[in-house]
Amino acid sequence: MNPVKTGQEHVASLRDGRDVYINGERVADVTTHKAFRNSVSSAAMLYDFQSQPAQIDIMTFASPDTGRRVSRCWQLPGSYAELLERRRALEAWAELHYGFMGRSPDHVSSCISGMFMGVELFEAHDRKRAAAVRDYYAFARDNDLFLTYVIINPQADRSKSAHEQADPYLAAAVVDEDAEGITMRGAKMLATSSIMANEVFVTCIQPLAPGDEKQAVSFAIPMNAKGLRVLSRKSYEESAVSGFDNPLSSRFDENDAVLYFDDVKVPWERVFVNQSIDMTLKQFHATPAHVYQNYQCQIRLLVKMRFLAGLAHRIAEANGIVAFPQVRDTLGQIAAEVGLVDGLLHGMEAKGRQVGAYYVPDRHLLYSAQVLTQQLYPKVITTIRDLAGGGLIMLPSSVADFDNPLLADLIHKTQKSPVFAPEERVKFFKLAWDALGSEFASRHVQYEMFYAGASFVTRGHSYRTFDWATCKGMVDTLMASYPTPGPPASAHKSAAAG
Ligand SMILES: Cc1cc2nc3c(=O)[nH]c(=O)nc-3n(C[C@H](O)[C@H](O)[C@H](O)COP(=O)(O)OP(=O)(O)OC[C@H]3O[C@@H](n4cnc5c(N)ncnc54)[C@H](O)[C@@H]3O)c2cc1C
């Protein structure tokens, strides 16, 4: 084992016989398949970065059990200063993919770390399940695992609960239980990054109804567990024409997949919750898990927003519109929106609080950020597209056009810009389209709108965690500061008569 996990070590760990399907076929090796290999390389890049001598201190910390340096995404901050130290590492990782890998290894590690911070909750429920949480956190941390998760039941009929669906095993449910563990059958959505993760954390974050007990489980298994089938969506990486034509989709298509559990055996030492609706929900909300996993999302989003702001400014320069007052106005709006994300991130850190031994970002500011940013992202994308006009489309069909002298000459004559040479202009607008309008970009809009739940879900969290008492108290205090007319005399009379 290397002193710090490297990209090569991660790539080797993915050659484990996992059962991945795409385009009607089983994938022999995700690390070499044309639908996945570049995304796998991007994941490897993260580990290579943390293992560079100049980065080791910034990106990693020593495991308290083994002494091996592992990613700071497993660190459990005990103070504000440690939270910031951890954030700088997560931010540095996000900068490597410009915020376009939503489920990089620091996402689910943040969730599992948050669960571990609240392990007393599991202790009070079931000591064996608590031991499973403790052991799993240490195991995943010490092996610096890349985890993904599936915490949503597949869409079918949302007006019915999980066990009321036509097939009671549509949503993954316990089909059997014995001395060794539980057996799971059914599907979960949507395993982003599963093709390049080591293990998957499986549970349900949606409210479950009485009768859904068999879906109310929480466990982690390796991606090559027997019977675990990975049904990939279309690969944008595979459809990318070239790195020049699709600089983002060719590299950062983290993939999403439906997971099907074909009677998958989960040993007891990997089961964190067994058939408890109450604990399945509480593991997220009565521990720091949900806050930590979504705090990571805001760190990543800030990086992506900065990148998009850079793109917007460059578009304005490319088309010679940057000095127009209306364009500056638009850029000022985008800059303010980046500031909003930045401010909320710093605010949730500064307003965090000590929960036992750990420092936890402020819950309500986190949920405010989620509610506002899932509205903001599509708006920012539309604003930048508005700035760009037809330049996103006025482009050669592919990099191959440059190989034809006639076309290369015409491209040179027609792709004009005050700041870019013709070839650079094409390069730039191809990048802009990949970020703003390609199928990859469109998936990102859907991702930012839904990764934390539909908007009614995030607003519900905001409602639940807001300090209404202080706000209502202000209204009550003001009302108490001036007199209220007494009831009419007739009311006294009727009270006396009664
Ligand atoms: C790109 C992408 C990547 C994802 N990656 C992951 C992942 O890695 N792991 C994972 O577990 N999940 C992942 N998800 C799933 C994500 O968590 C869900 O999309 C999200 O929780 C919303 O659930 P849903 O898609 O089933 O939408 P639904 O819950 O079906 O909601 C869709 C819409 O239906 C309406 N609606 C539904 N129910 C109600 C209701 N009760 N009241 C009012 N209106 C309602 C609302 O208009 C809502 O916006 C991903 C999703 C996307 C798009």
Side-chain angles (χ1 to χ4, degrees):
M1 204 184 259
N2 297 303
V4 182
K5 181 174 174 178
T6 61
Q8 197 184 28
E9 186 180 329
H10 185 65
V11 172
S13 73
L14 303 179
R15 296 195 188 105
D16 58 0
R18 61 191 53 207
D19 205 18
V20 177
Y21 295 85
I22 191 166
N23 301 329
E25 288 175 358
R26 187 170 185 276
V27 175
D29 180 352
V30 288
T31 70
T32 54
H33 193 281
K34 58 186 189 304
F36 310 118
R37 62 190 171 206
N38 295 348
S39 313
V40 168
S41 295
S42 294
M45 165 187 75
L46 302 178
Y47 293 111
D48 280 337
F49 182 74
Q50 74 171 16
S51 61
Q52 287 172 17
Q55 300 299 338
I56 287 177
D57 280 349
I58 300 165
M59 300 301 296
T60 69
F61 73 114
S63 158
D65 291 346
T66 65
R68 189 193 188 200
R69 303 236 21 140
V70 294
S71 166
R72 281 196 191 275
C73 66
W74 296 106
Q75 193 176 349
L76 310 174
S79 65
Y80 176 59
E82 284 180 13
L83 186 80
L84 297 194
E85 201 173 38
R86 182 179 181 275
R87 189 245 291 160
R88 282 187 205 104
L90 271 50
E91 200 173 343
W93 255 2
E95 282 167 358
L96 297 179
H97 51 78
Y98 308 92
F100 282 95
M101 290 174 75
R103 296 293 193 245
S104 46
D106 40 336
H107 182 70
V108 181
S109 64
S110 298
C111 171
I112 297 292
S113 299
M115 267 169 66
F116 177 81
M117 291 178 204
V119 74
E120 302 79 37
L121 178 81
F122 293 85
E123 292 283 1
H125 176 70
D126 181 333
R127 301 192 72 177
K128 285 191 179 155
R129 306 284 63 82
V133 172
R134 282 183 202 285
D135 292 348
Y136 189 69
Y137 165 73
F139 167 77
R141 176 198 62 199
D142 293 343
N143 289 285
D144 216 346
L145 292 185
F146 186 161
L147 308 181
T148 183
Y149 65 21
V150 275
I151 59 177
I152 301 291
N153 291 331
Q155 278 185 334
D157 183 347
R158 286 279 187 249
S159 71
K160 294 191 169 76
S161 63
H163 77 282
E164 288 170 345
Q165 303 292 326
D167 174 2
Y169 292 99
L170 167 72
V174 178
V175 69
D176 188 27
E177 179 179 329
D178 61 21
E180 284 158 30
I182 55 175
T183 302
M184 296 296 298
R185 181 182 300 167
K188 296 295 279 193
M189 67 185 261
L190 239 173
T192 302
S193 288
S194 58
I195 54 107
M196 54 192 176
N198 298 116
E199 301 222 349
V200 58
F201 171 45
V202 185
T203 187
C204 187
I205 197 167
Q206 294 156 306
L208 293 169
D212 289 341
E213 285 74 12
K214 290 192 185 311
Q215 275 90 5
V217 289
S218 165
F219 60 87
I221 47 169
M223 281 305 303
N224 67 350
K226 190 163 174 286
L228 176 56
R229 306 195 193 287
V230 182
L231 311 175
S232 170
R233 65 152 161 77
K234 172 184 174 180
S235 162
Y236 310 137
E237 168 179 338
E238 190 174 13
S239 329
V241 180
S242 71
F244 179 88
D245 289 282
N246 302 96
L248 296 171
S249 24
S250 64
R251 280 194 270 177
F252 303 126
D253 178 17
E254 59 190 341
N255 193 265
D256 310 286
V258 169
L259 296 192
Y260 189 77
F261 297 80
D262 215 344
D263 288 10
V264 175
K265 187 94 195 189
V266 184
W268 284 118
E269 59 271 22
R270 291 303 197 86
V271 178
F272 313 134
V273 176
N274 182 28
Q275 301 175 65
S276 165
I277 290 176
D278 185 47
M279 272 301 289
T280 300
L281 200 59
K282 277 188 177 162
Q283 66 181 333
F284 286 108
H285 299 295
T287 74
H290 199 241
V291 171
Y292 258 88
Q293 74 195 43
N294 288 303
Y295 163 60
Q296 179 275 339
C297 298
Q298 293 300 319
I299 298 170
R300 175 198 57 82
L301 183 66
L302 176 58
V303 171
K304 198 181 190 186
M305 291 291 290
R306 288 182 185 138
F307 173 80
L308 291 175
L311 207 58
H313 205 281
R314 277 281 187 218
I315 286 171
E317 292 169 22
N319 283 338
I321 56 174
V322 72
F324 295 171
Q326 301 88 335
V327 170
R328 294 235 160 167
D329 188 67
T330 303
L331 291 173
Q333 176 71 24
I334 292 172
E337 287 164 349
V338 180
L340 175 82
V341 180
D342 201 353
L344 281 167
L345 179 65
H346 284 79
M348 71 186 78
E349 291 173 340
K351 207 180 163 203
R353 67 192 174 100
Q354 208 68 33
V355 178
Y358 309 110
Y359 186 85
V360 181
D362 183 72
R363 280 199 311 172
H364 186 258
L365 283 184
L366 168 71
Y367 294 133
S368 306
Q370 284 194 312
V371 168
L372 297 175
T373 57
Q374 65 187 175
Q375 297 164 17
L376 190 63
Y377 192 82
K379 184 169 155 274
V380 167
I381 295 292
T382 304
T383 306
I384 304 177
R385 286 176 67 146
D386 189 50
L387 270 184
L392 295 169
I393 309 296
M394 188 193 85
L395 290 167
S397 56
S398 81
V399 67
D401 286 359
F402 289 94
D403 296 335
N404 179 320
L406 170 74
L407 295 181
D409 192 44
L410 289 174
I411 292 168
H412 198 80
K413 278 188 183 143
T414 55
Q415 293 285 339
K416 296 298 182 189
S417 160
V419 293
F420 288 124
E423 297 72 21
E424 285 289 323
R425 181 189 160 99
V426 174
K427 185 179 189 181
F428 171 70
F429 275 107
K430 291 264 183 190
L431 165 63
W433 181 245
D434 218 13
L436 304 170
S438 66
E439 192 169 4
F440 170 86
S442 182
R443 179 263 178 202
H444 268 269
V445 171
Q446 204 69 4
Y447 182 81
E448 302 295 355
M449 287 171 69
F450 279 100
Y451 75 78
S455 56
F456 74 90
V457 174
T458 54
R459 285 184 199 145
H461 293 320
S462 168
Y463 179 84
R464 184 172 54 79
T465 56
F466 186 58
D467 179 7
W468 292 111
T470 300
C471 303
K472 289 191 298 176
M474 289 171 71
V475 176
D476 296 345
T477 304
L478 179 62
M479 282 176 62
S481 69
Y482 53 90
T484 314
S490 57
H492 284 297
K493 275 188 201 148
S494 55

